[in-house]
Amino acid sequence: MSLARYFQKLYQTYGEQPVQPGLPELAAQLCVSERHARQLLGRMQGEGWLTWQAGRGRGVRSTLQLHGKALQQLEQELQQLLQQGALSQVLQRLPAAERQQWLDSLPRLLAQHDAGSRLRIPLPRALKSLDPLTVAFWLEANLVRQLFDRLLEADPQRGLVGSLAHHWEAQQQGQCWRFWLRPRLQFHDGSVLDSAAVMETLLRLRDEPGPAQWQYRHLRRVVCHDALSFSCELERPDWLWPHCLTNGPASIVPRRRRQFGEQPVGSGPWRLLQRHPGRLLLQAMPHHHRGAPLLEQIELWILDLPDYPAPFDLVWQREEGQPVHKAGLHWPEGCHYLILGESDDQRRQQLAAWLAHPPLVADDEVWRRPAHHLLASWPPAECLPSGQTFRHAAQAVTLQHFGVPQAAVLLPRIRQRLNLAGITLTVLPRDAALLQGGSAFPRADLTLQGEILSEDTVFSLYEWLGGNIIEHLPPLRQQALWRALARIQAMPGQAEQLAGFQQEASHLVQEGWLLPLSHEANCLHPAPWLAGATPGNNGWVDFSKLWVRGDDAQPS
């Protein structure tokens, strides 16, 4: 502990009025020996922080008077930690009383920055790689969308719209797609973004391992016609190909990529200016092709704490047990669900029915609703009714999950339901890096997953069925689903595609391979002075649309 923090402990107890504690009392306050306490007091007096006169003779007590100078040094230390982004690590080591004092002083220290141009947002955990090729998690995927551009974007009202590409068209009945890039595009490091960079990005997605590699395996080749025009030639017709290029992994990356996961270079509206272990600083790109962001900088603080301190402007409340108004809840499309690995059709369907009836989630819960299909907007998928009694052939089953956020809530309910059937549940927490690295998934009797759709519902459903779900099915069922997805890719109409995805998902539920459990909510808490904080379908917001009102009015 630093000398300034020892001083702070004394200051909390005695203030600045002269007092007469004995040396044993001071040693107890500092949690050190009397000898060490005497040394610390001498050092503090040498710094001019206090006046201490040791008692001499029987019954003569020491005299202590503290001065406020040490508090200034403590604040300087805090300011240095703020600049280094190490605040979270320090807070975790401090006792509760000292931690609260540091948190209480944060607003005043952070207020030295211009509140009208900088925003502070806490993140719940440390970030993994920000290379779009390997991103597999909600947090990293949304930051990638701030730092990188894609050829096209999905707009909830207008559908697919141009981004880096201003025009595109299908050729050869959807087996070839040609794109035209905007002129004068650059990456954040000043290098040129042209058709050669796009070609290398797409071939990298096809050839290098990653969670989205399967989406690009049918890319036969990319032909660069000139610096601003190229074509994607596919092995089969695919009317979902433009949707595939709106996906986060399809973010266009430069040809030179040194330490790319830690210090990514994109072409998006924000660039990564600084990265410390506990903080990221994003800077707005004033000449972005879609227009400059409304703020100048955004600080992302990694704070693994139960409650966030006051000076943060935008907080995602994803934890239960905190008061929240139901009107503030956001319900993204998607659900938490189980994948059942039992190969025997009858036993699998019976187990699914036993877990489904009655639902594991009640209708009146604040943070979740019972799920009767993958999407809340779909009519319930019929499954076999549950009998009065059920006995599984096995006396124990295994369940794996990959860091699912709601596992702590759902797992006890699953365990209790299985116990009623005389089944013991063994939970296998898996390393989430398996999702990021494109490795084959290990097998288990049950797999707990969660999925949140992006703004592009059509492609999200394709990605959902052809990604995490299909990996856990046996080979014959995988082949049947691959054939169904290929048929949907060959459908030119979006309505046909959506109907096809719903039909295939219904088959999986009816056959007992999938069991939807819950639709989960999250809650966005913008500060009263913050405007533009409208969550998208996946719960994140576009940082470029955020702006500070400069008054106490509620954001519009």
Side-chain angles (χ1 to χ4, degrees):
M1 185 182 296
S2 71
L3 190 66
R5 295 198 189 98
Y6 279 118
F7 176 86
Q8 186 189 32
K9 290 176 71 70
L10 294 177
Y11 198 91
Q12 289 174 351
T13 303
Y14 301 114
E16 297 189 28
Q17 297 300 318
V19 292
Q20 290 186 317
L23 187 60
E25 179 181 330
L26 292 173
Q29 288 290 339
L30 297 173
C31 300
V32 298
S33 66
E34 292 185 19
R35 179 182 178 185
H36 192 193
R38 186 180 290 108
Q39 293 172 345
L40 291 172
L41 292 169
R43 289 172 56 193
M44 294 180 199
Q45 185 163 250
E47 294 288 341
W49 298 351
L50 57 80
T51 302
W52 178 60
Q53 180 64 50
R56 300 189 184 279
R58 182 180 297 274
V60 180
R61 298 175 66 86
S62 61
T63 302
L64 176 71
Q65 183 171 12
L66 304 174
H67 314 302
K69 184 178 179 181
L71 297 180
Q72 299 176 2
Q73 180 163 338
L74 185 63
E75 290 185 3
Q76 290 175 0
E77 291 185 19
L78 178 55
Q79 192 68 271
Q80 292 174 356
L81 290 167
L82 290 174
Q83 294 171 359
Q84 296 169 5
L87 178 61
S88 181
Q89 297 89 317
V90 174
L91 291 175
Q92 294 287 5
R93 295 197 299 265
L94 289 175
E98 291 188 38
R99 179 190 303 170
Q100 191 56 51
Q101 277 216 344
W102 280 52
L103 293 178
D104 290 343
S105 63
L106 268 176
R108 178 167 47 81
L109 292 168
L110 291 175
Q112 298 175 15
H113 300 297
D114 179 11
S117 62
R118 180 176 297 203
L119 195 70
R120 296 175 185 88
I121 300 174
L123 302 180
R125 60 168 174 81
L127 294 170
K128 304 180 187 299
S129 171
L130 291 175
D131 184 344
L133 178 74
T134 60
V135 162
F137 306 104
W138 175 85
L139 188 59
E140 287 81 4
N142 283 285
L143 287 178
V144 160
R145 290 193 170 275
Q146 317 286 349
L147 300 172
F148 293 87
D149 280 319
R150 288 141 296 281
L151 293 169
L152 308 175
E153 296 289 347
D155 183 271
Q157 284 75 42
R158 297 180 292 163
L160 294 186
V161 296
S163 183
L164 295 176
H166 67 87
H167 184 74
W168 64 100
E169 60 186 39
Q171 299 173 349
Q172 301 176 25
Q173 301 299 311
Q175 193 164 342
C176 180
W177 292 85
R178 185 165 180 178
F179 297 84
W180 285 263
L181 297 175
R182 298 178 185 275
R184 300 177 295 279
L185 293 172
Q186 288 186 334
F187 292 103
H188 297 156
D189 62 358
S191 58
V192 175
L193 196 164
D194 56 8
S195 58
V198 174
M199 177 181 70
E200 184 163 322
T201 295
L202 296 179
L203 295 179
R204 177 175 180 246
L205 287 167
R206 183 195 66 181
D207 299 336
E208 296 186 21
Q213 185 182 24
W214 64 273
Q215 300 166 14
Y216 303 91
R217 286 175 179 157
H218 63 305
L219 173 61
R220 188 168 62 191
R221 65 171 181 161
V222 180
V223 178
C224 294
H225 305 293
D226 53 50
L228 298 179
S229 178
F230 65 94
S231 294
C232 298
E233 297 181 1
L234 310 175
E235 294 177 354
R236 62 180 185 274
D238 183 4
W239 292 91
L240 292 176
W241 182 251
H243 295 267
C244 187
L245 300 180
T246 70
N247 199 21
S251 299
I252 306 303
V253 301
R255 306 179 73 177
R256 292 191 302 173
R257 300 177 297 276
R258 300 184 97 182
Q259 299 181 325
F260 199 65
E262 290 293 316
Q263 295 291 333
V265 176
S267 64
W270 298 90
R271 74 181 182 106
L272 182 57
L273 185 62
Q274 295 177 0
R275 182 170 185 173
H276 298 291
R279 188 193 65 173
L280 283 77
L281 180 60
L282 307 185
Q283 184 179 56
M285 299 304 295
H287 304 296
H288 190 258
H289 65 85
R290 292 201 306 270
L294 301 176
L295 297 171
E296 294 178 9
Q297 291 185 341
I298 289 180
E299 294 178 354
L300 301 172
W301 287 83
I302 299 167
L303 289 174
D304 185 13
L305 297 170
D307 296 303
Y308 294 122
F312 293 99
D313 305 286
L314 186 65
V315 174
W316 279 267
Q317 181 182 339
R318 303 178 67 87
E319 300 293 333
E320 299 184 55
Q322 300 178 22
V324 63
H325 295 291
K326 288 189 176 182
L329 293 175
H330 173 69
W331 294 91
E333 277 281 30
C335 74
H336 281 64
Y337 59 100
L338 282 174
I339 303 175
L340 290 81
E342 171 62 63
S343 58
D344 183 271
D345 289 343
Q346 184 177 4
R347 289 200 298 265
R348 184 182 63 253
Q349 291 173 347
Q350 287 178 342
L351 179 58
W354 177 257
L355 290 168
H357 301 290
L360 295 174
V361 173
D363 292 322
D364 58 352
E365 296 188 40
V366 175
W367 284 91
R368 61 190 52 82
R369 298 166 179 166
H372 305 293
H373 213 319
L374 299 191
L375 302 188
S377 57
W378 287 352
E382 296 296 331
C383 61
L384 293 178
S386 176
Q388 295 298 318
T389 60
F390 167 70
R391 287 293 181 267
H392 196 260
Q395 295 181 342
V397 299
T398 57
L399 182 150
Q400 65 181 350
H401 69 91
F402 301 83
V404 174
Q406 299 302 330
V409 176
L410 296 174
L411 286 179
R413 306 182 188 192
I414 297 171
R415 186 188 303 276
Q416 182 180 25
R417 182 65 57 82
L418 291 173
N419 285 344
L420 293 175
I423 301 173
T424 301
L425 178 66
T426 300
V427 177
L428 306 172
R430 301 293 193 188
D431 185 356
L434 290 171
L435 301 179
Q436 197 169 27
S439 304
F441 289 125
R443 299 297 174 188
D445 300 312
L446 301 171
T447 300
L448 178 62
Q449 297 271 40
E451 189 75 22
I452 298 177
L453 270 59
S454 71
E455 302 295 337
D456 189 345
T457 302
V458 171
F459 183 74
S460 289
L461 289 169
Y462 171 70
E463 187 178 32
W464 192 355
L465 293 171
N468 292 345
I469 288 178
I470 203 169
E471 290 286 346
H472 296 283
L473 301 177
L476 289 177
R477 191 62 182 88
Q478 281 187 1
Q479 295 171 15
L481 183 54
W482 279 129
R483 290 192 295 269
L485 294 177
R487 288 195 301 270
I488 295 172
Q489 285 177 289
M491 298 175 181
Q494 182 169 314
E496 295 176 282
Q497 296 164 356
L498 287 171
F501 289 131
Q502 182 177 343
Q503 182 182 52
E504 292 307 313
S506 297
H507 290 334
L508 290 169
V509 175
Q510 291 162 1
E511 295 166 13
W513 297 111
L514 295 184
L515 176 60
L517 297 178
S518 64
H519 302 294
E520 302 284 342
N522 56 44
C523 190
L524 191 67
H525 288 286
W529 53 83
L530 183 65
T534 303
N537 191 44
N538 60 358
W540 198 260
V541 298
D542 184 350
F543 289 171
S544 299
K545 297 179 180 178
L546 299 176
W547 58 283
V548 174
R549 299 176 61 89
D551 54 36
D552 293 332
Q554 291 295 327
S556 57

